[in-house]
Amino acid sequence: MENLGYYNGKFGPIEEMAIPMNDRVCWFGDGVYDAGPARNYNIFALDDHLDRFYNSARLTGIQIPMPREELAELLRDLVKKVEAPEHFVYYQCTRGTAPRKHDYVEAPGNLWVTITPQTMPDGTKRIKLRSEPDTRFYHCNIKTLNLMPAVMSSQAAKREGVFETVYYRENMGNRVTECAHSNVSMILNDELWTAPLDELILPGIARKHLIAAAKRLGIGVHEEPFDLDTLRGAQEIIVTSSSNLCLFAEEFEGKPAGGGSPEVAEALRAEVNREFTEATAI
């Protein structure tokens, strides 16, 4: 099978799958999700991703229709059905199926899974970034399906020929939060700086593993707020996500960026990729 879709116990090629129109995702985007890479049929950092998935469900009152370990086993089984050396494993739970109404009946939700071929980049190619004010909601720590602001920012980045959009809060002294679909960190004075975990950013799994890599290497770590001007002057700007574990910027807001701490940058890139390669080995 080239790819796989799963919905409440039924699975097949994604193009052949269908869902009820009354799934609340159709009306309200009412659901939570998580996702991560797999290699050699080993799902990377699955425990971390499931922790976040079940926490997002808890914070929104969504009932995932199976226990955590049962879902883990299901994902491990489904990924073996797709013919590719590397995959992206995506899963979401919507609140359920019912006629359109804002309030809801508390009941187990609908579980979706998709598995598609996707190769993890090694992070050697640098990227370009743009910025814009962060006008999203104050529940960025919950991985919900309501991603319209991220869609709009990602399309703006595509139009400008850059990789990502860096968000900042104008009403908080231009505090940098995260990107449209990634976390953003920086190297300053040869140490790693990243925004603190609060309601303004998603607790990224790749961000977590980047911090762990820095600590293993003896690199100082600061989980503290920083503003846009500080990011502009950073030695390196780092973008992390489950699709791109560790990328470095060569351009930010149309100006050259990065290259100010090549030894630290390469050490971090190599350590993050080492962990991924060893954790997903045959």
Side-chain angles (χ1 to χ4, degrees):
M1 196 177 296
E2 293 183 1
N3 62 47
L4 180 144
Y6 170 101
Y7 185 79
N8 286 350
K10 298 180 180 180
F11 67 88
I14 292 172
E15 296 79 9
E16 298 176 7
M17 298 297 293
I19 63 165
M21 191 170 179
N22 272 339
D23 189 309
R24 285 179 62 91
V25 72
C26 300
W27 306 123
F28 305 109
D30 193 359
V32 295
Y33 76 103
D34 222 292
R39 178 174 170 269
N40 297 317
Y41 304 104
N42 295 314
I43 303 174
F44 180 65
L46 180 58
D47 285 341
D48 291 330
H49 284 282
L50 289 178
D51 284 346
R52 186 172 64 181
F53 185 48
Y54 278 82
N55 187 57
S56 292
R58 178 185 63 81
L59 292 171
T60 52
I62 289 173
Q63 299 179 31
I64 298 173
M66 63 180 64
R68 185 181 185 282
E69 286 309 313
E70 186 176 337
L71 176 55
E73 196 58 37
L74 173 66
L75 294 173
R76 294 188 187 104
D77 179 60
L78 292 176
V79 79
K80 294 174 183 176
K81 300 181 186 298
V82 180
E83 300 170 359
E86 296 190 40
H87 312 85
F88 194 68
V89 183
Y90 174 96
Y91 36 101
Q92 68 181 34
C93 187
T94 66
R95 198 176 298 277
T97 305
R100 187 186 186 280
K101 189 179 180 183
H102 283 75
D103 60 359
Y104 55 89
V105 175
E106 295 186 3
N110 297 321
L111 181 66
W112 308 36
V113 182
T114 62
I115 300 173
T116 51
Q118 180 172 305
T119 301
M120 179 67 69
D122 65 7
T124 54
K125 184 178 179 180
R126 287 183 173 259
I127 58 175
K128 299 177 181 180
L129 305 171
R130 65 187 291 274
S131 68
E132 70 177 51
D134 190 346
T135 59
R136 302 170 301 161
F137 47 77
Y138 279 86
H139 294 290
C140 300
N141 56 312
I142 304 173
K143 203 166 176 66
T144 76
L145 300 175
N146 296 283
L147 297 175
M148 185 63 75
V151 168
M152 295 169 66
S153 299
S154 297
Q155 185 65 17
K158 180 180 179 180
R159 283 196 300 266
E160 294 181 22
V162 304
F163 181 81
E164 253 286 28
T165 295
V166 176
Y167 288 136
Y168 60 94
R169 296 271 178 172
E170 290 183 300
N171 63 341
M172 303 178 74
N174 289 342
R175 174 183 161 181
V176 173
T177 52
E178 57 185 359
C179 297
H181 51 273
S182 316
N183 288 118
V184 61
S185 305
M186 65 180 179
I187 296 175
L188 187 66
N189 298 325
D190 291 332
E191 295 184 322
L192 178 66
W193 290 71
T194 189
L197 293 181
D198 56 19
E199 73 281 1
L200 299 180
I201 76 164
L202 181 75
I205 305 304
R207 171 191 176 278
K208 175 182 178 180
H209 284 256
L210 177 69
I211 290 171
K215 291 180 177 179
R216 287 195 298 271
L217 294 168
I219 297 169
V221 174
H222 302 267
E223 295 184 68
E224 302 175 24
F226 54 88
D227 62 21
L228 193 59
D229 281 340
T230 303
L231 185 66
R232 289 168 176 147
Q235 293 170 289
E236 303 283 357
I237 301 175
I238 310 171
V239 169
T240 57
S241 72
S242 295
S243 299
N244 297 278
L245 293 178
C246 185
L247 301 180
F248 291 86
E250 65 177 2
E251 181 182 296
F252 181 44
E253 301 175 322
K255 298 179 180 179
S261 186
E263 296 84 4
V264 174
E266 176 56 24
L268 280 171
R269 187 203 67 80
E271 178 62 14
V272 166
N273 280 276
R274 180 201 63 77
E275 181 192 17
F276 173 70
T277 300
E278 290 186 2
T280 56
I282 298 174

